[in-house]
Amino acid sequence: MLRIKTLALLQTHISHCPLVVRRVHQLASIKHVCVLPERRRQGLLYPFSSLEEHLSSQVSQEEFKIFHPSLEELRQAETLFTPSSKHSIDYSTSAVRIDHVPLLKQPEVCFMGRSNVGKSSLIRALFSLVPEVDVRVSKTPGHTKKLNFFTVGKAFTLVDMPGYGHKAPKDFVEMVEPYLQGRHNLARTFLLVDGGAGLQKVDLVAVEMCEEFNLPYVLVVTKIDRTRQGALLALTLQLRDFIKNQTSLCFPQPFLVSSVQFSGIYLLRCFIAHVTGNLQLNAKQS
């Protein structure tokens, strides 16, 4: 096996400050998306729809709509990411060693990716309806060596994993591998891929690790707003073939997201709600 030691940590600093509240993004909620023109609305809710017209007639569109919930189901999922007096959403704790990881019973999802893939921006977008939860990227890459935990009521926990790249800390393996291998309530691992760079060698190491540890995982393509449609379609087709031919535990549909334009954020929220057992979909979804 390619060792995860070839990966490196991207400094990700998460802090919760109740005195500082960020402005809610204008597209944080679906209700604001639904007033937009049809083409724009569909592109935000179902990003692959923007690529369909460029797809060859020989390629089935259904391959990219395996998870395709209804608008009502997207709305239901959004309520899970909306705080209330009985449903608090907050940064919980950080762990610098595996024995510091909190013992939690609710399902967990974790996000991992290489340096500068847009992981913190994506998590911030997912929690955009809770602006007091502040997710920030440190100015000093590789400084903090932590697993960061966010609790979403009693529904699930989201874990921000240390990033990997070219500045691996000595204890990266000792922290990350035991968590992934021993976290029995881990429902899904989300592996982020830069839309402009595609799958890199370090990403393949992470894929191999998920396969070896028997972890169900998903590929999420970030920064799609920075990628030309032709290049994005080519990458999406490449990932489809890669998943089909070289993986056994990866969800067959790659997810496309933009944390700037909010494309795909609502769909990803819905998938998280589904895989953590908090949303039963009307149609059969894997």
Side-chain angles (χ1 to χ4, degrees):
M1 159 183 148
L2 291 172
R3 293 299 297 167
I4 194 67
K5 289 182 179 179
T6 61
L7 304 178
L9 184 67
L10 165 66
Q11 155 67 20
T12 303
H13 174 63
I14 311 277
S15 66
H16 171 58
C17 180
L19 299 179
V20 178
V21 179
R22 292 180 178 270
R23 181 177 62 86
V24 176
H25 194 283
Q26 62 180 352
L27 293 177
S29 176
I30 289 178
K31 65 182 179 181
H32 298 130
V33 179
C34 287
V35 302
L36 298 174
E38 172 69 14
R39 186 181 179 88
R40 168 87 165 137
R41 179 170 70 249
Q42 286 295 110
L44 289 171
L45 297 178
Y46 309 103
F48 185 75
S49 65
S50 300
L51 303 176
E52 287 180 351
E53 62 184 271
H54 306 290
L55 194 65
S56 168
S57 59
Q58 298 178 346
V59 179
S60 171
Q61 296 182 5
E62 297 306 313
E63 293 180 300
F64 303 97
K65 296 180 180 179
I66 297 170
F67 185 80
H68 196 76
S70 66
L71 179 59
E72 179 55 33
E73 289 166 335
L74 293 177
R75 287 195 180 103
Q76 291 177 30
E78 185 174 286
T79 63
L80 198 64
F81 289 82
T82 305
S84 67
S85 58
K86 296 183 179 180
H87 181 69
S88 62
I89 301 174
D90 203 356
Y91 161 72
S92 175
T93 188
S94 295
V96 294
R97 295 201 307 267
I98 191 61
D99 54 351
H100 291 169
V101 171
L103 298 176
L104 302 170
K105 294 182 179 180
Q106 62 264 36
E108 278 184 5
V109 294
C110 70
F111 283 68
M112 62 187 302
R114 68 183 182 87
S115 174
N116 200 36
V117 75
K119 178 164 55 68
S120 294
S121 297
L122 176 55
I123 294 174
R124 182 186 299 154
L126 291 170
F127 288 137
S128 56
L129 294 167
V130 201
E132 61 269 25
V133 175
D134 185 21
V135 185
R136 295 181 295 176
V137 178
S138 170
K139 296 179 181 179
T140 311
H143 180 69
T144 301
K145 306 171 183 179
K146 298 180 180 179
L147 301 171
N148 299 290
F149 293 76
F150 295 86
T151 53
V152 181
K154 297 180 180 179
F156 70 92
T157 302
L158 186 149
V159 184
D160 183 16
M161 304 284 286
Y164 53 78
H166 63 284
K167 293 184 179 180
K170 294 180 180 179
D171 61 349
F172 183 75
V173 175
E174 289 75 11
M175 176 172 52
V176 171
E177 286 193 358
Y179 169 82
L180 293 176
Q181 285 184 293
R183 201 65 169 175
H184 300 298
N185 58 334
L186 182 59
R188 199 68 53 125
T189 296
F190 291 84
L191 178 58
L192 277 53
V193 177
D194 191 314
L199 275 174
Q200 302 292 295
K201 289 183 178 180
V202 287
D203 297 323
L204 297 178
V205 174
V207 165
E208 183 177 342
M209 179 177 64
C210 290
E211 292 284 336
E212 179 168 329
F213 293 169
N214 201 33
L215 299 174
Y217 62 104
V218 186
L219 294 183
V220 180
V221 181
T222 62
K223 304 180 184 179
I224 64 172
D225 55 292
R226 299 184 185 181
T227 310
R228 291 182 297 103
Q229 284 197 327
L232 181 58
L233 178 58
L235 174 60
T236 304
L237 293 172
Q238 176 192 358
L239 292 178
R240 178 207 58 177
D241 293 341
F242 171 79
I243 293 171
K244 183 185 300 183
N245 299 323
Q246 299 186 49
T247 73
S248 60
L249 297 168
C250 187
F251 189 73
Q253 173 186 327
F255 284 76
L256 310 177
V257 297
S258 166
S259 301
V260 176
Q261 298 179 347
F262 266 54
S263 302
I265 297 300
Y266 323 95
L267 189 64
L268 192 57
R269 283 174 179 163
C270 193
F271 188 75
I272 292 172
H274 175 56
V275 298
T276 55
N278 291 287
L279 179 64
Q280 299 299 319
L281 302 181
N282 294 326
K284 184 180 179 181
Q285 309 282 358
S286 300

